[in-house]
Amino acid sequence: MSTHPETLALHAGWRRDEATTSVAVPIYQTTSYQFNSTEHAANLFALKELGNIYTRLTNPTNDALEKRVAALEGGVAALAVASGQAASAMTVQNLARNGDNIVASTDLYGGTWNLFANTLKDQGIEVRFVDPEDPAAFARATDDRTRAYYAETLPNPKLRVFPIAEVAAIGRPLGIPLIMDNTAAPLLVRPFDHGAAIVMHSLTKYLGGHGSSIGGIIIDGGNFDWEAHPARQPALNTPDPSYHGAVWTQAVKGIGPVAYIIKARTTILRDLGAALSPFNAFLIIQGVETVALRMRAHSENALAAAKFLQGRPEVDRVIHPSTLTGVGAERTRKYLPNGMGGLCGIELKGGMEAGKKFIDALKMFYHVANIGDARSLAIHPASTTHSQLNQAEQAATGVSPGYVRLSIGIEHIDDILADLGQALDAASK
Ligand code: PLP
């Protein structure tokens, strides 16, 4: 199989349906799978044989999506789930228990921030937030009960690329995996190549690409030695009472380096139940097939839009990886040599009022909460996506009152610039 993403996006994980020879991945819209015999059923439940039991656990449509995205990220296996939020929560819950902690970057999507600062905290999992400007902050926040590091590759709104290799290298000798949310930069950066152990995506965004389906995915890099520091990772190295006392690092020995992802499927997904609908998996697969082309077009258009906006007198500041200086610029060069993604932010001289007028004046851009759609999108985070954060938390995640987030689409660049231009004219009146 090729290693080129353009080819993998079309061919990895699926050739044809063996029963019907269908080339498109069928939607296996079923809850359950007929067992061949009682022995077959018992073997499946005991994980002696791998196969389908029930769609909350596995489904052939989802399987094709999982294999394809795992191949694109350079991982060994993946688990598709109901949303990006479910994926974020499960990446942590698979390792951390009541009394444990993780260390996370401050640069996070507002929903992830809420999950970490409130819901996981209520479940007894502490999340310690540190500024990724200084990677050593992760080491300083670590103690004996730190189970993982967590960050976003290209976090909006700041759009400063996370130092993946630097933080992964701090964690590995301690037995601490780096979990990367790569939602904003599929194909542009592969976090496993830089030492991350687990990658997750909101499939809702660029991988799905068409604004039709919510989904999430967790990918196991198969590159992390979970047994090297058994006391650090008790969830994978001590008997699991929910699965006949299985010790996951031992139980999967015959299958491959997949302890983390098998445990996520057989315990966390089994128990919390946030399974992806096969219908959504089918729609997301259609998106994945063209993601290489789209990421190229998003990156080109967003760079052109950033340059255009920098030249406009109404704009105080343009936030785009190309406008960073110092260590931010170095990291952009290191991690995003093949394109800087489709996101771009602006702060207007007229502050909050100008921001609102600007968004109301947009004609082609959609005013929506999403990012990564093929269409161009805009939103005012302080009053929407980040509104449940207090002002200090908003400031920590980079949301100023006048910030407008743009998700630049793949329309013709002339139409994108024309719409931005006329909305800026309207906002300054
Ligand atoms: N991670 C990032 C970076 C996101 O932008 C989002 C959604 O906006 C999520 C996770 C959550 O994904 P979902 O909306 O699919 O639950």
Side-chain angles (χ1 to χ4, degrees):
M1 174 56 80
S2 164
T3 55
H4 296 295
E6 293 83 352
T7 308
L8 292 173
L10 288 157
H11 292 282
W14 179 262
R15 183 65 191 174
R16 63 173 198 174
D17 181 50
E18 288 311 320
T20 63
T21 73
S22 166
V23 171
V25 181
I27 306 171
Y28 290 95
Q29 193 70 28
T30 184
T31 58
S32 312
Y33 307 84
Q34 160 90 356
F35 303 122
N36 301 332
S37 63
T38 48
E39 189 192 354
H40 179 224
N43 282 345
L44 290 176
F45 275 89
L47 295 182
K48 284 188 189 148
E49 229 177 288
L50 293 181
N52 295 314
I53 298 175
Y54 191 58
T55 281
R56 170 148 46 77
L57 294 170
T58 57
N59 174 280
T61 313
N62 296 17
D63 182 63
L65 172 65
E66 287 160 351
K67 290 199 166 100
R68 195 159 286 181
V69 177
L72 284 170
E73 282 289 3
V76 292
L79 174 62
V81 294
S83 67
Q85 278 300 113
S88 303
M90 290 165 69
T91 58
V92 177
Q93 289 166 325
N94 202 35
L95 296 176
R97 297 163 170 169
N98 188 350
D100 293 340
N101 67 75
I102 67 162
V103 183
S105 166
T106 47
D107 297 1
L108 293 176
Y109 161 60
T112 311
W113 183 285
N114 258 332
L115 166 71
F116 284 3
N118 300 304
T119 300
L120 287 188
K121 184 174 162 206
D122 287 346
Q123 294 175 358
I125 299 169
E126 183 198 352
V127 181
R128 302 172 174 184
F129 296 99
V130 297
D131 185 342
E133 183 85 2
D134 175 17
F138 279 79
R140 289 195 292 275
T142 300
D143 68 14
D144 286 351
R145 302 226 25 198
T146 303
R147 304 286 177 238
Y149 295 157
Y150 189 103
E152 287 178 25
T153 312
L154 182 59
N156 78 69
K158 289 184 193 163
L159 300 180
R160 52 175 186 171
V161 186
F162 184 78
I164 306 171
E166 293 84 337
V167 174
I170 293 170
R172 277 186 180 263
L174 304 171
I176 301 174
L178 173 61
I179 302 168
M180 289 301 308
D181 178 341
N182 199 29
T183 298
L187 275 60
L188 301 176
V189 52
R190 297 203 316 175
F192 295 140
D193 295 346
H194 301 284
I198 304 297
V199 168
M200 61 76 49
H201 281 269
S202 165
L203 293 168
T204 317
K205 311 293 178 336
Y206 292 100
L207 285 168
H210 296 84
S212 71
S213 314
I214 301 277
I217 199 161
I218 304 167
I219 308 126
D220 190 331
N223 60 356
F224 194 81
D225 187 352
W226 300 99
E227 285 178 84
H229 302 269
R232 174 70 74 186
Q233 299 299 346
L236 292 175
N237 288 291
T238 54
D240 185 340
S242 87
Y243 225 104
H244 314 302
V247 175
W248 290 105
T249 47
Q250 308 307 314
V252 305
K253 278 264 152 75
I255 310 173
V258 289
Y260 176 94
I261 206 77
I262 294 265
K263 178 188 177 290
R265 186 188 294 281
T266 54
T267 66
I268 306 285
L269 180 61
R270 176 197 63 184
D271 296 347
L272 299 182
L276 180 68
S277 150
F279 184 69
N280 277 12
F282 171 82
L283 291 171
I284 292 164
I285 288 168
Q286 311 314 305
V288 170
E289 293 193 347
T290 59
V291 67
L293 283 176
R294 285 185 289 104
M295 289 316 291
R296 211 171 294 146
H298 282 296
S299 296
E300 281 170 17
N301 281 352
L303 181 59
K307 286 188 177 146
F308 168 80
L309 292 163
Q310 277 178 301
R312 290 287 303 215
E314 305 87 344
V315 177
D316 201 19
R317 201 160 77 92
V318 175
I319 300 100
H320 181 264
S322 66
T323 64
L324 297 176
T325 54
V327 73
E330 267 169 46
R331 288 178 188 160
T332 300
R333 272 195 298 279
K334 175 172 174 181
Y335 291 108
L336 294 175
N338 303 318
M340 294 181 235
L343 300 176
C344 178
I346 47 174
E347 274 170 6
L348 295 175
K349 287 193 179 134
M352 170 95 102
E353 278 318 300
K356 284 186 184 163
K357 271 195 195 165
F358 171 80
I359 287 184
D360 284 335
L362 286 167
K363 293 191 172 122
M364 184 183 79
F365 277 64
Y366 280 86
H367 178 198
V368 296
N370 200 17
I371 58 166
D373 194 324
R375 303 161 193 82
S376 289
L377 316 172
I379 199 160
H380 177 240
S383 61
T384 57
T385 53
H386 288 64
S387 60
Q388 283 135 41
L389 276 55
N390 64 38
Q391 259 193 346
E393 289 172 332
Q394 286 195 0
T397 59
V399 173
S400 62
Y403 185 94
V404 174
R405 180 182 80 196
L406 303 169
S407 174
I408 304 293
I410 62 170
E411 300 94 342
H412 195 285
I413 188 62
D414 292 352
D415 295 323
I416 292 171
L417 300 187
D419 199 26
L420 292 173
Q422 67 79 24
L424 285 172
D425 292 342
S428 61
K429 279 184 194 139

